[in-house]
Amino acid sequence: MAANDRTFIVFLGPPGSGKGTQARILEQKLGLPQVATGDLFRYNLKNQTELGLLARKYMDAGELVPDEVTVRMVEERLAREDCARGAILDGFPRSLPQAVALDEMLAPYGGVTVVPLFQVDDDVVVERISGRRVCRNCGAVYHVKFNPPKQEGICDVCGGELYQRDDDRPETVKNRLYVYYKHTAPLIGYYFARGLLAEIDANQPVADVTAALEAVLAERGIQV
Ligand code: ADP
Ligand code: AMP
C-alpha cells in the first residue's frame, strides 16, 4: 500500500438499513471516524447555524440537501485531523454527482476502498425506522423493540433524552425511500462497475450484520 493510501469505507443502503448502527460499532474497532452527513446536518440544525437552517426544509420533506452544500460540508469534515487514516462514510454519497465529487476528493489517497451495500427489505426498513429513537445529546441510536435502552427514554451511554426524529414519521419515510430509489440506488451500478461493491444481508440481527461486514472488509485486507 502506498504511503498516502487511506481507508475510506462507504456505507450504501436505504434509510433505516442499519448503516449508522454498524458505523458506530466499526469506528471503535477500526479506529476510523464515522462521517454521517445526516448527523452533521442535525448537529448544525441543533446549533441553528446557517447550514442547519438551510438543510432543514429538505430534511423535513425527506429530500436531499443540494449536492454543492453537502459536498462542501463533507470536504471540510474529511480535511480534519481525525480523518488522517480514512473514515467510514455513512449516508454519503447519495447521488451520482456526490459520488463523482467524492472520487475527486479521494483521488490523492487511493480513492474509495470498499462499498458495503446494506440489502434490506422495504417492510423491515419501515419497522426499523418507526421504532428508531436517537439520543438528543450524543446521537446514539436505539430501537424500541430490537435495541431498547436499559431505561425507557434514557440513553445508556450518556443519560441523555431519547427522541423520535421528525423525518422518521410515516409521511416522510415514504418519500425518503422514494428518494433513495431515485437518486441513491443508481450508485449501486456505479460502484459495482468499479469493483468496489460488497453486498451484505442487512435483514439479520445487528451482530450478524457486523460479522458479515467484517468478513467483506477482511477480503479487502482491512483487518478488524
Ligand atoms: P440508518 O443509519 O441506515 O438510517 P440505523 O442504524 O439508524 O439506520 O438503524 C435504523 C433502526 O433500526 C434503529 O432504530 C436501529 O436501532 C435499528 N437497527 C439497526 N440495525 C438493526 C438490525 N440489524 N436489526 C434490528 N434493528 C436494527
Ligand atoms: P440520515 O440521517 O442519513 O437519514 O439523513 C437525514 C436527512 O439528511 C436526509 O433525509 C437528507 O435530507 C439529509 N442528508 C443526509 N445525507 C445527505 C446527503 N449525502 N445528500 C443530501 N442530503 C443528505
Side-chain angles (χ1 to χ4, degrees):
M1 217 184 242
N4 63 354
D5 271 2
R6 304 182 187 191
T7 302
F8 289 98
I9 303 169
V10 170
F11 280 180
L12 191 59
S17 56
K19 303 182 299 297
T21 299
Q22 296 298 331
R24 280 181 174 249
I25 294 170
L26 275 185
E27 75 169 343
Q28 310 274 337
K29 297 189 173 195
L30 292 172
L32 295 174
Q34 171 198 24
V35 172
T37 38
D39 287 352
L40 293 173
F41 285 130
R42 277 185 292 280
Y43 176 84
N44 276 280
L45 194 54
K46 189 171 146 193
N47 291 292
Q48 304 255 308
T49 67
E50 210 177 307
L51 175 62
L53 297 173
L54 183 152
R56 174 177 217 148
K57 66 172 190 284
Y58 299 99
M59 296 174 80
D60 283 350
E63 297 290 336
L64 296 183
V65 178
D67 288 334
E68 321 78 77
V69 176
T70 307
V71 166
R72 203 175 327 121
M73 178 177 77
V74 171
E75 235 162 1
E76 285 171 17
R77 179 66 189 85
L78 292 181
R80 279 170 43 185
E81 185 54 37
D82 62 337
C83 298
R85 289 181 49 246
I88 303 168
L89 290 157
D90 162 12
F92 181 92
R94 251 168 154 113
S95 68
L96 276 171
Q98 290 182 14
V100 171
L102 181 66
D103 280 347
E104 284 168 10
M105 250 183 260
L106 301 187
Y109 312 113
V112 170
T113 313
V114 60
V115 182
L117 171 65
F118 285 59
Q119 291 185 302
V120 65
D121 302 333
D122 281 357
D123 55 336
V124 174
V125 158
V126 170
E127 197 184 9
R128 285 188 186 171
I129 292 186
S130 61
R132 173 160 55 191
R133 299 292 181 270
V134 182
C135 176
R136 221 178 262 292
N137 182 44
C138 73
V141 178
Y142 298 86
H143 190 282
V144 290
K145 192 159 126 199
F146 305 129
N147 178 27
K150 292 194 182 77
Q151 199 184 334
E152 197 186 323
I154 307 287
C155 178
D156 294 348
V157 181
C158 74
E161 180 205 357
L162 303 186
Y163 78 109
Q164 181 173 31
R165 283 168 44 179
D166 283 343
D167 61 347
D168 277 353
R169 300 190 192 281
E171 320 78 76
T172 319
V173 169
K174 216 172 139 201
N175 193 43
R176 286 166 65 203
L177 267 175
Y178 173 78
V179 166
Y180 172 77
Y181 286 117
K182 188 169 175 201
H183 296 287
T184 311
L187 298 186
I188 297 171
Y190 182 88
Y191 287 120
F192 177 76
R194 287 159 177 74
L196 294 172
L197 202 70
E199 294 172 18
I200 303 287
D201 176 4
N203 286 312
Q204 312 172 85
V206 172
D208 295 349
V209 178
T210 306
L213 268 170
E214 291 181 359
V216 302
L217 295 182
E219 277 168 24
R220 311 267 166 163
I222 305 166
Q223 294 303 334
V224 175

